[in-house]
Amino acid sequence: MGQNERKMKVLIVEDDTFSRQYMSSLVRLGDYEVLEARDGAEGLLMFETHAPDLIFSDISMPIMDGLEMLERIRRKSHDTIVVMTTAFGNPEFTLKALRLRANDYLVKPVIPKDIIANLKKYAAVLAARSVEREVIGFILERYLKLSLDNRLEVLGIVADRLMQETEGHILPADRMGVRLGLLEIIINAIEHGNLGITYCDKTAAIESKSIDLGDLVAQRTSQEPYRSRRVQIQFQMNAEMCEWVITDEGEGFDWRSVPDPNDPANLMSMHGRGILLARLNFDEVLFLERGNKVVLRKKLIQPG
Ligand SMILES: Nc1ncnc2c1ncn2[C@@H]1O[C@H](COP(=O)(O)OP(=O)(O)OP(=O)(O)O)[C@@H](O)[C@H]1O
Ligand SMILES: [Mg+2]
């Protein structure tokens, strides 16, 4: 964290005292500022008075539930990252929350490593966000090509650079979703594509006590053939839409068998959220070639 940056402010909204305190203790490990609320009404009040950067919220709570709180928060802010924490077996609510523009979800019981990894991801996104300068919104056509090595820690900045190109052209309400969706697909290109970490490798690393996903990533980034692989990002914008083509040098995957995001039963696994979040935030998500090339499209705000 740079010297001028303040700590990320995290609000935890959860009626169950034990779960709330447990989440708080996990967030505190990461040196973030923590706020707590016991139900949606209290959560909303805390949101209004403290303007948190990130909210973890339960869905079913007394007085005001997480969905209603989310709906009310979204009337006022599209920039606060909201992550729903949902009990196993409540997938319909999760889907509803995503449609109400929650940015992500976690399935309870939460795994400490998973929370910590997610906090780092959001903190990187928030720290890299530059002030939007609507003034360059008059440029109608743009093209940008980036080539990246496999450093996951710079992706918050990469996502910010990509978002700068779209200033004034993507609705404010959609921008955080697009930013996070881009991030997920670029993470996949590195993690699964270039570094060849499979779904099963990832599950094992999340569940293992002896190895972290971070260790696995570090190992592979120093080894051939993984090390010299690159991710190419081509961005272009015309009068109708923005398009990002993200290509990695990995083996690809059977993208036809990626679970259908509209089937709530698929929302309950530990990971497998990245593609789903992208699908919810772009107008089109296409996999080309062997699955190592992803095309993301977003329609633009039309003048008038
Ligand atoms: N570029 C890619 N190359 C190879 N496999 C990929 C690629 N992108 C996605 N996959 C496969 O698709 C699966 C689902 O990806 P998705 O991003 O939805 O979830 P995840 O990466 O497993 O977990 P997370 O929720 O942390 O993103 C991955 O586990 C991986 O097997
Ligand atoms: Mg992913």
Side-chain angles (χ1 to χ4, degrees), residues 3-276:
Q3 280 181 328
N4 302 325
E5 286 154 23
R6 58 173 181 81
K7 286 183 187 180
M8 177 165 72
K9 222 187 270 182
V10 185
L11 169 63
I12 294 154
V13 190
E14 166 69 66
D15 58 325
D16 179 69
T17 309
F18 176 80
S19 308
R20 189 176 63 248
Q21 290 174 348
Y22 182 60
M23 277 293 282
S24 287
S25 65
L26 290 175
V27 175
R28 275 199 191 91
L29 286 176
D31 194 30
Y32 307 113
E33 192 180 325
V34 188
L35 304 158
E36 294 182 24
R38 288 166 299 187
D39 58 66
E42 224 180 81
L44 192 60
L45 203 66
M46 297 288 264
F47 162 79
E48 279 160 359
T49 45
H50 298 276
D53 304 294
L54 169 65
I55 301 176
F56 285 111
S57 175
D58 189 16
I59 295 189
S60 11
M61 289 179 292
I63 307 175
M64 184 192 290
D65 70 15
L67 294 176
E68 188 178 343
M69 183 191 77
L70 170 64
E71 207 172 353
R72 289 174 182 233
I73 287 175
R74 281 292 177 252
R75 285 183 211 152
K76 296 183 178 153
S77 164
H78 302 291
D79 294 338
T80 311
I81 299 180
V82 181
V83 181
M84 304 312 279
T85 49
T86 63
F88 186 84
N90 255 345
E92 293 80 12
F93 287 134
T94 308
L95 200 58
K96 214 163 170 184
L98 290 170
R99 297 210 168 111
L100 288 171
R101 296 179 176 277
N103 297 105
D104 201 346
Y105 64 95
L106 293 168
V107 181
K108 289 196 274 192
V110 296
I111 295 187
K113 277 204 263 183
D114 197 32
I115 295 280
I116 291 164
N118 273 291
L119 283 166
K120 272 194 196 153
K121 181 171 78 179
Y122 302 128
V125 165
L126 293 166
R129 281 193 74 194
S130 49
V131 179
E132 308 242 318
R133 298 148 303 163
E134 294 291 333
V135 66
I136 60 169
F138 63 84
I139 302 171
L140 296 179
E141 288 193 23
R142 286 189 202 166
Y143 188 80
L144 177 73
K145 199 171 161 186
L146 304 176
S147 175
L148 309 178
D149 60 19
N150 299 308
R151 276 176 299 168
L152 291 167
E153 65 276 14
V154 302
L155 295 185
I157 297 166
V158 172
D160 188 64
R161 184 68 189 78
L162 289 169
M163 289 313 288
Q164 282 174 19
E165 294 299 309
T166 71
E167 275 170 18
H169 295 282
I170 293 179
L171 283 172
D174 292 341
R175 298 185 67 81
M176 183 57 87
V178 168
R179 182 182 291 261
L180 293 173
L182 282 169
L183 189 69
E184 291 298 336
I185 298 300
I186 305 169
I187 291 174
N188 281 353
I190 294 179
E191 202 177 70
H192 302 299
N194 285 354
L195 302 183
I197 297 168
T198 63
Y199 189 94
C200 298
D201 293 342
K202 190 163 172 172
T203 309
I206 293 174
E207 285 170 358
S208 153
K209 292 204 166 57
S210 55
I211 184 169
D212 263 358
L213 188 57
D215 300 334
L216 196 59
V217 168
Q219 255 171 34
R220 300 252 170 129
T221 34
S222 59
Q223 249 172 44
E224 293 300 348
Y226 312 109
R227 187 169 64 179
S228 36
R229 292 178 177 166
R230 297 291 174 261
V231 172
Q232 308 292 337
I233 304 175
Q234 283 171 278
F235 165 78
Q236 56 179 321
M237 186 180 83
N238 60 30
E240 277 91 46
M241 67 175 171
C242 286
E243 180 185 271
W244 300 261
V245 182
I246 297 156
T247 312
D248 64 63
E249 298 183 273
E251 287 166 19
F253 70 113
D254 181 11
W255 47 269
R256 287 175 196 84
S257 67
V258 167
D260 173 6
N262 291 311
D263 180 353
N266 295 327
L267 293 172
M268 291 293 104
S269 47
M270 282 306 306
H271 56 104
R273 305 190 307 261
I275 295 175
L276 182 136

